[in-house]
């Protein structure tokens, strides 16, 4: 990173019902206090632009203790149809998401930090997509240095109280640490 320039962060997400998108937007708001932030659905991120960013943050919901698959996305759609969960599906929810994006993108040397959303219960019971995202990123050559981030949803898939503020604070920490690195 050029010491005179403002650090740039890309926040790329997959979301079925909107919670992971809201977390991504809150992280971006936090980053913006000290760095530039670009927040987008991962399906709208081209591999050719990645080198422009000092840090990339990627996130997806936890499905079956891991990353969403075509089958789990289809199951999510039935949850909406059955009015069990979530109000409506996000745009592009049923198209290939973060799992497929990582697998087809050259990530060698890029600094990437993962996040996920999962149900608010013991992590032993809920599982988390975080280790699966980190493992896939490393396999694709990314530098996964920082600890990832988990945000919690309730039994209806809504973000729990305080989660937007907490995600904004985490984004603030990321932005400030990049700004600090740029100065030293
Ligand atoms: C098919 C399916 C499987 C899920 N499996 C898990 C799970 O294993 N652990 C968990 O904590 N949450 C699980 N969830 C809940 C999701 O984590 C939750 O819906 C998601 O975090 C909401 O984010 P979104 O609105 O961005 O999709 C599952 C949801 C779906 C639709």
């Amino acid at each position: 990173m050029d010491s005179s320039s403002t650090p740039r962060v890309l926040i790329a997400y997959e979301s079925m019902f909107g919670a992971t998108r809201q977390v991504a937007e809150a992280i971006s708001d936090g980053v913006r206090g000290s760095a530039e932030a670009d927040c987008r659905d991962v399906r709208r991120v081209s591999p050719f632009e990645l080198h422009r960013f000092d840090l990339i943050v990627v996130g997806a919901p936890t499905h079956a203790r891991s990353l969403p698959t075509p089958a789990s996305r289809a199951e999510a759609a039935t949850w909406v149809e059955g009015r069990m969960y979530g109000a409506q599906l996000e745009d592009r929810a049923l198209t290939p998401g973060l799992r497929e994006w990582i697998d087809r993108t050259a990530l060698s040397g890029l600094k990437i930090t993962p996040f996920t959303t999962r149900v608010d219960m013991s992590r032993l019971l809920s599982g988390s997509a975080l280790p699966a995202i980190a493992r896939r990123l490393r396999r694709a050559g990314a530098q996964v240095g920082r600890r990832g981030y988990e945000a919690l949803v309730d039994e209806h898939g809504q973000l729990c109280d305080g989660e937007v503020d907490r995600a904004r604070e985490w984004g603030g920490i990321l932005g400030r640490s990049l700004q600090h690195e740029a100065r030293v």
Side-chain angles (χ1 to χ4, degrees), residues 105-160:
T105 308
L107 299 176
S108 235
L110 296 170
K111 278 168 68 175
I112 309 191
T113 297
F115 76 96
T116 191
T117 50
R118 67 170 180 86
V119 172
D120 180 20
M121 58 169 70
S122 156
R123 200 173 189 267
L124 281 176
L125 295 174
S126 70
S128 168
L130 216 43
I133 302 175
R135 208 168 38 242
R136 265 191 140 73
L137 289 171
R138 288 199 183 95
R139 215 188 290 149
Q143 291 175 28
V144 189
R146 293 168 197 276
R147 248 183 90 232
Y149 182 80
E150 290 179 348
L152 302 175
V153 301
D154 65 19
E155 67 273 26
H156 305 294
Q158 304 294 314
L159 284 173
C160 295

Side-chain angles (χ1 to χ4, degrees), residues 13-23 60-66 68 71-77 79 85-86 88-90 116-123 125-129 151-154 156-159:
Y13 61 86
E14 167 177 359
S15 181
M16 297 299 304
F17 308 111
T20 314
R21 174 179 48 74
Q22 283 175 265
V23 172
T62 297
H63 280 185
R65 309 176 69 86
S66 187
S72 75
R73 294 183 194 113
E75 187 178 339
W79 291 14
Y85 197 91
Q88 57 182 49
L89 288 180
E90 294 278 293
T116 191
T117 50
R118 67 170 180 86
V119 172
D120 180 20
M121 58 169 70
S122 156
R123 200 173 189 267
L125 295 174
S126 70
S128 168
L152 302 175
V153 301
D154 65 19
H156 305 294
Q158 304 294 314
L159 284 173

Side-chain angles (χ1 to χ4, degrees), residues 14 41-43 68 73 92-93 95-102 104:
E14 167 177 359
D41 189 310
V42 71
R43 288 102 164 171
R73 294 183 194 113
R92 305 183 185 86
T95 64
L98 185 61
R99 171 188 290 267
E100 295 85 352
W101 184 86
I102 294 173
R104 66 161 190 266

